[in-house]
Amino acid sequence: MTWWQGVLVFVAGVWAGTINTVVGSGTLVSFPVLLGIGLSPVTANVSNTLGLFPGSFVGAYGYRRELSGQRQRIVVLGIASLIGAVIGALLLLKLPADAFNAIVPVLIVLALLLVVFGKRVTAWMTSRGRTATEHVGVALFLTVLGTGIYGGYFGAAQGVLLMGFLGLFLDESLQRQNGLKNVLAGLVNLVAAVVFVAVARSHIDWAVAGLVALGSIAGGVLGARIGRRLSPTVLRATIVVVGLAAIAKLIYDQVA
């Protein structure tokens, strides 16, 4: 890796860490850069995951005010994320790299619809005797588990998926949902990173992972400052834009 490639990787880490904290989908920025400097897809994915998890926790710390009162929820949903992350990380080492390509765009579209129309869906559920809740139900637990599997496997737009499903099942403000999303996504990246270090060290480029980590930490600080100042409308619009970009990128990769 040349010095200018190192700078590019660091900048990609900053950008990815910022986007992950505000919305999610930072992988769509950093992963292509790692491929561009010559890493294989598996090495790029593993090194990227290892580098991004510190930024996720820095971003979550920046949202500590919004996380107040959510301890029990974090514990329960954190367990779902941890289990899913282990499964997803192991799948990455066993399945073809494009195994989830067909279903992921559909999931992102569903998540974006929930982000945009979540309040209307909640109102419809309420009219039929069902509503979002302050507690964790089975449906939300399983949804977060499934998102964790995907996040451990690849993770692009994991944050968008979480925001869509949290908005459907929880009666919380968008910013409190975003803080919870940062914790859950951070746990997924952490567990996946631990699995990779344990069983796939040969696929880790430590120099690249270190540069991404430094960048993602800076991005986590920046993203928390930006994200917490966004109005709900602007935050929803940002989620939609990033989600559409993720769909376009994934479809392009399938066609190319």
Side-chain angles (χ1 to χ4, degrees):
M1 181 172 56
T2 63
W3 69 268
W4 67 266
Q5 288 177 327
V7 172
L8 183 62
V9 169
F10 173 77
V11 172
V14 174
W15 192 0
T18 303
I19 294 176
N20 274 344
T21 302
V22 177
V23 181
S25 302
T27 294
L28 294 175
V29 174
S30 52
F31 182 70
V33 170
L34 301 191
L35 293 178
I37 66 171
L39 298 186
S40 69
V42 173
T43 298
N45 198 1
V46 170
S47 302
N48 185 61
T49 299
L50 194 62
L52 288 181
F53 85 83
S56 298
F57 286 109
V58 170
Y61 180 76
Y63 271 83
R64 59 192 179 279
R65 186 184 307 168
E66 286 75 14
L67 291 171
S68 176
Q70 299 198 71
R71 178 176 299 177
Q72 182 178 359
R73 183 180 295 156
I74 290 171
V75 171
V76 176
L77 294 181
I79 292 172
S81 294
L82 294 176
I83 296 172
V86 172
I87 296 173
L90 294 177
L91 287 177
L92 174 65
L93 303 176
K94 299 294 183 181
L95 297 180
D98 60 351
F100 282 177
N101 280 0
I103 190 62
V104 171
V106 178
L107 291 175
I108 297 175
V109 170
L110 173 61
L112 293 179
L113 291 174
L114 291 176
V115 169
V116 175
F117 300 107
K119 289 185 177 180
R120 296 181 184 179
V121 174
T122 300
W124 178 82
M125 293 170 64
T126 302
S127 68
R128 284 158 178 75
R130 304 173 183 175
T131 186
T133 176
E134 295 181 357
H135 306 291
V136 177
V138 175
L140 178 56
F141 184 91
L142 294 177
T143 300
V144 172
L145 173 66
T147 306
I149 294 174
Y150 169 65
Y153 182 87
F154 183 52
Q158 176 189 185
V160 175
L161 294 174
L162 281 171
M163 288 299 290
F165 297 136
L166 292 176
L168 177 64
F169 292 111
L170 294 179
D171 184 18
E172 292 284 6
S173 70
L174 204 60
Q175 290 291 4
R176 282 175 63 81
Q177 293 171 28
N178 205 21
L180 179 59
K181 175 266 294 179
N182 285 332
V183 173
L184 298 179
L187 286 172
V188 170
N189 285 337
L190 172 61
V191 173
V194 170
V195 171
F196 293 151
V197 170
V199 302
R201 292 185 183 180
S202 61
H203 290 295
I204 300 174
D205 187 313
W206 291 100
V208 167
L211 287 171
V212 173
L214 290 174
S216 72
I217 290 171
V221 174
L222 180 62
R225 292 181 178 179
I226 295 173
R228 294 180 68 249
R229 289 173 169 80
L230 296 178
S231 68
T233 300
V234 174
L235 184 55
R236 282 194 179 89
T238 304
I239 294 171
V240 170
V241 170
V242 172
L244 292 176
I247 294 171
K249 177 65 169 59
L250 292 169
I251 293 176
Y252 175 81
D253 288 343
Q254 293 181 44
V255 174

